Amino acid sequence: MANQEDKFKKVISHAKEYGYVFQSSEIYDGLSAVYDYGQNGAELKKNIREYWWKAMVQLNDNIVGLDSAIFMHPTIWKASGHVDAFNDPLIDNKDSNKRYRADVLIEDYVGKLDSKIEKEVKKAAKRFGDKFDKEQFLATNQRVVDYKEQGDSILKRMGQSLEKEDLADVKALIEELDIACPMSGSKNWTDVKQFNLMFGTKLGASAESAMDLYLRPETAQGIFVNFLNVQKSGRMKIPFGIAQTGKAFRNEIVARQFIFRMREFEQMEMQFFIQPGTQKEWYDTWKEKRMKWHLSLGLGQDNYRFHDHDKLAHYADAAADIEFRFPFGFKELEGIHSRTDFDLGSHEKFSGKKLQYFDHETNKNYVPYVLETSIGLDRMFLAVFATSLQEEELENGSTRTVLKLPAVLAPTKAAILPLIKKDGLPDVARAIVKDLKWDFNVTYDEKDAVGRRYRRQDANGTPFCITVDHQTLEDQTVTIRHRDSMEQERVAISDLKRIIHEAVDMKTWLKKMD
Ligand code: ATP
C-alpha cells in the first residue's frame, strides 16, 4: 500500500513539474477537486479527445457529432431523474469529522479482498512457474474462492440496499465489516444520508425573474433532447449514434483522488439509438468495441477488466464498467449502459413533444432504445499518464524517469537538439524544426549537455530526440533516439518526417482495433 501511495504521489508531482496538471487557483491555496491542465496536459488531453472522436465519429458512418450547451432547461433534469435520484449516500465519521461516500468505503473494503487475491496469485505463479494455470487457480484455491465469494456477497447486499433506499442497512454493513475511518481509525459513524450532486445556478439579470438552473452533471441529456433534430436534419436511420465531448459538473462528496474524481470534468459520451428488443446484442457489441479501443493504446491488457453492475441506475436494464488499474487499485474508467427508452420516453412526457422514430420498413413509430458509452476524459488522462510514468534501472546502475506515453498521444513528438551551441549546428537544428512543425508538435532544446536533455525529454514523454552534430554538416544525417529503447540510429534528415509519421500516426494506432 505504501508503495502504491508513493507511486501516486510521484504521479501528481510529476504532472505538476512537467506542465501536465496544476491545482486550480493554486496561488489562492487551490480549489478542492478542481484542476487546470498545463502546456503539456492540454495537448495530451486534446490528443485523447481526438483519438476517441476519430474512433467514434470518423470511423463509424452511422455516428455523428454534437456540441450542445452546458445550460439546459431545468425541466430536463426532472425528466432525466437527476433532481430526484442523482444522489450519493454519504456518511460522516464523528471523530475525524471527515465525510465519505458510504458505497466507496464498502467498495474499498472489497478492493482489499481483491488485492489479497492478487497476492495469492502472484505467490502461486512464483511457486508453480511455467506450469501455473491462473484460471484453474482462481477457480479452485479455497482461500481465493472464499475472498471472491465474500466480496461478491458484500457488493450484492450493498447494491440491493441502495436500490431499495435502505440506508440503515448500508450503515449496518459498514459496521458489520468493521470499517474504520481511513483518517482517524475510528468506527464512530453517523447515519447514512442521501446527497444530491447537482450544482445550482441562476439565469437572468433581476432577482425576481431569475430562473434556477443546474450545471449539467452529464453530457448525455444534450444528446437526448436533440435526438429528433439530428435524426431529421441528418436523415439518420436507426441504428445510429450521436457523440459529444464536453464539461460536466458534480458536487462530489469526496474528491481526494487528484483528477480521478473532480467537481468539474469532461466526458466523452455516445448514445446509440436502436430498435427496442435489440439492446442485448448492441450492449455486447459496444462492450467489445470499447475494450478494443482501450487495448489499441497498448497500456497492457492486464490493466483492464469488466465489472457488471449489481445495482442498476434508474434508467438502465444492463450496465458494465470498464475498470482500469489506477495507482490506487481497479476503478471505473468507462461505463457502458443499456438505457432502454427511459430518457426519450421521459422527455416525451415532460415536454409533451413526440420523440419517436418512424420506421419505413415496418411502417411503425416507436421510441428508440439507447445504448450508451460514457468515459471521463480526465480519468482516461490519469490512466494513460500514471501507467506511462516509469522508473527504470539502467545497466550502469543509475535510474531514469521516463514517461512512456503512447506516441500517438504524446504532446511533443520530437525534440531537435544541436549537439553543441556553435559551429552552425543550432542553425541546422532550427531549420529542421521549421520544416517538421507543419506536420508535428516539435520542440528545440539547446540548454545543458545532450545527456541531460535526453533525460528531460524522457520525463516529458517525447518519443524522439533528433541530434544534429558535426557529421550532419557533411552528409545531411542526424541521430534519432527512441525514448523507450534509448536506441539511436543515424538517418537522413529527409527521412525524419516518414519515421516520425509512422510512429505517431493516428491511423496506424486506430487500426489496431480491427
Ligand atoms: P463513479 O461511480 O466513479 O462516481 P459514475 O458511475 O457516477 O462514476 P457515470 O455517471 O457513469 O460515472 O459517468 C461516466 C464516466 O464519467 C465515468 O466512467 C468516469 O470516467 C467519468 N466521471 C464521472 N464522475 C467523474 C468525476 N467526478 N470526475 C472525473 N470523471 C468522472
Side-chain angles (χ1 to χ4, degrees):
M1 196 63 190
N3 207 351
Q4 275 190 351
E5 265 168 37
D6 287 351
K7 161 97 209 229
F8 191 35
K9 277 193 193 140
K10 184 101 220 286
V11 166
I12 297 170
S13 64
H14 196 88
K16 178 173 177 193
E17 191 181 341
Y18 286 87
Y20 278 87
V21 185
F22 307 128
Q23 169 83 66
S24 156
S25 323
E26 196 187 77
I27 59 169
Y28 292 95
D29 297 331
L31 189 63
S32 160
V34 187
Y35 290 90
D36 298 335
Y37 288 88
Q39 65 279 22
N40 279 322
E43 291 288 339
L44 174 55
K45 204 174 162 196
K46 175 180 73 79
N47 292 344
I48 297 173
R49 193 189 294 111
E50 194 185 342
Y51 197 69
W52 181 88
W53 189 268
K54 284 207 163 163
M56 286 305 205
V57 180
Q58 189 174 323
L59 292 179
N60 288 294
D61 39 12
N62 59 356
I63 299 182
V64 292
L66 181 78
D67 184 355
S68 71
I70 288 172
F71 290 140
M72 295 201 274
H73 195 284
T75 309
I76 287 174
W77 304 111
K78 285 213 180 75
S80 69
H82 283 80
V83 171
D84 293 325
F86 193 52
N87 300 320
D88 275 342
L90 72 80
I91 189 165
D92 291 308
N93 184 276
K94 291 187 201 161
D95 295 321
S96 65
N97 288 324
K98 288 277 169 210
R99 178 157 281 188
Y100 297 93
R101 257 174 69 176
D103 54 334
V104 171
L105 283 179
I106 295 169
E107 279 165 8
D108 284 350
Y109 180 93
V110 173
K112 281 186 194 142
L113 295 175
D114 284 344
S115 309
K116 286 185 183 169
I117 294 177
E118 276 195 31
K119 252 191 214 148
E120 294 288 338
V121 168
K122 262 196 199 141
K123 262 199 317 204
K126 217 170 171 187
R127 198 167 57 220
F128 293 113
D130 289 345
K131 278 182 275 160
F132 183 59
D133 179 341
K134 188 172 166 189
E135 294 306 315
Q136 193 193 351
F137 180 78
L138 289 175
T140 54
N141 179 281
Q142 197 51 45
R143 205 174 294 164
V144 166
V145 171
D146 289 347
Y147 287 144
K148 176 94 181 65
E149 275 176 6
Q150 199 191 345
D152 287 349
S153 93
I154 292 170
L155 290 180
K156 191 157 176 216
R157 174 165 156 202
M158 179 180 85
Q160 286 169 345
S161 301
L162 287 173
E163 193 135 318
K164 286 187 298 197
E165 294 259 335
D166 184 355
L167 299 181
D169 189 58
V170 177
K171 181 177 181 189
L173 185 55
I174 288 177
E175 286 174 340
E176 279 167 40
L177 297 175
D178 228 16
I179 295 175
C181 165
M183 300 295 231
S184 64
S186 145
K187 295 170 192 164
N188 193 6
W189 297 108
T190 62
D191 287 343
V192 178
K193 284 187 295 232
Q194 292 288 23
F195 175 78
N196 193 289
L197 301 182
M198 281 197 295
F199 282 105
T201 185
K202 289 201 184 291
L203 180 96
S206 73
E208 307 85 65
S209 64
M211 186 182 195
D212 285 319
L213 288 192
Y214 296 105
L215 296 183
R216 67 178 179 197
E218 62 175 28
T219 55
Q221 298 304 324
I223 292 180
F224 291 126
V225 297
N226 278 297
F227 157 71
L228 267 194
N229 284 337
V230 174
Q231 191 269 319
K232 293 217 158 113
S233 59
R235 311 218 265 145
M236 307 301 291
K237 282 211 177 72
I238 276 182
F240 75 92
I242 305 177
Q244 86 166 325
T245 70
K247 286 275 173 109
F249 304 83
R250 296 183 186 179
N251 197 1
E252 296 281 359
I253 297 171
V254 184
R256 299 189 192 113
Q257 280 166 321
F258 192 41
I259 56 172
F260 178 81
R261 192 177 297 289
M262 305 155 91
R263 297 207 161 97
E264 172 181 343
F265 59 101
E266 192 164 336
Q267 288 187 315
M268 307 193 285
E269 297 200 295
M270 193 279 296
Q271 266 68 37
F272 201 68
F273 299 90
I274 55 176
Q275 221 176 26
T278 61
Q279 66 268 33
K280 173 80 183 80
E281 186 189 315
W282 283 112
Y283 177 65
D284 293 340
T285 303
W286 277 107
K287 270 173 79 173
E288 192 188 322
K289 266 173 139 353
R290 291 304 303 146
M291 188 57 105
K292 282 192 176 154
W293 180 84
H294 285 285
L295 295 179
S296 72
L297 286 169
L299 298 180
Q301 193 154 7
D302 281 359
N303 288 325
Y304 299 88
R305 69 182 189 194
F306 280 112
H307 170 250
D308 294 318
H309 282 208
D310 293 312
K311 177 194 176 228
L312 291 174
H314 56 276
Y315 51 75
D317 75 351
D321 295 335
I322 294 179
E323 293 188 336
F324 186 80
R325 194 196 303 267
F326 286 97
F328 34 83
F330 270 104
K331 295 272 178 207
E332 170 176 347
L333 170 60
E334 170 159 9
I336 292 138
H337 310 127
S338 171
R339 290 182 84 124
T340 68
D341 58 357
F342 173 83
D343 303 87
L344 290 181
S346 187
H347 285 307
E348 273 202 333
K349 268 185 241 141
F350 277 80
S351 67
K353 309 269 164 40
K354 283 234 170 306
L355 292 175
Q356 303 198 351
Y357 174 78
F358 181 72
D359 191 327
H360 285 277
E361 273 160 35
T362 58
N363 268 342
K364 280 196 186 125
N365 276 314
Y366 60 83
V367 178
Y369 270 37
V370 170
L371 209 288
E372 151 183 282
T373 71
S374 173
I375 174 168
L377 175 49
D378 314 85
R379 257 185 216 187
M380 184 63 198
F381 184 111
L382 180 59
V384 170
F385 188 86
T387 312
S388 302
L389 184 60
Q390 296 175 18
E391 292 277 331
E392 270 182 5
E393 296 270 343
L394 300 183
E395 272 170 18
N396 64 8
S398 66
T399 55
R400 73 160 179 157
T401 301
V402 51
L403 190 60
K404 291 188 170 174
L405 295 173
V408 63
L409 302 180
T412 305
K413 305 305 187 194
I416 325 299
L417 323 170
L419 186 64
I420 51 172
K421 265 193 272 184
K422 51 184 185 187
D423 303 339
L425 302 186
D427 296 338
V428 179
R430 286 199 192 277
I432 294 175
V433 169
K434 205 168 158 196
D435 182 36
L436 291 180
K437 74 179 175 191
W438 293 94
D439 295 271
F440 316 105
N441 248 345
V442 292
T443 184
Y444 172 85
D445 188 4
E446 60 174 24
K447 199 170 172 288
D448 301 321
V450 77
R452 292 213 26 206
R453 281 180 272 166
Y454 286 156
R455 291 299 165 80
R456 197 150 61 221
Q457 295 302 333
D458 285 347
N460 212 45
T462 312
F464 296 109
C465 284
I466 293 159
T467 307
V468 173
D469 57 18
H470 291 93
Q471 193 183 327
T472 311
L473 303 177
E474 284 157 29
D475 64 4
Q476 296 292 300
T477 64
V478 288
T479 59
I480 183 160
R481 174 183 178 276
H482 298 258
R483 175 196 66 197
D484 297 350
S485 64
M486 293 189 288
E487 268 165 23
Q488 300 187 24
E489 35 174 348
R490 191 111 210 148
V491 302
I493 293 175
S494 56
D495 279 340
L496 284 174
K497 218 171 272 179
R498 179 186 53 78
I499 295 171
I500 301 171
H501 185 76
E502 275 169 13
V504 307
D505 181 30
M506 273 208 184
K507 181 169 97 188
T508 317
W509 287 77
L510 285 167
K511 278 205 162 165
K512 295 182 194 168
M513 291 191 301
D514 286 345

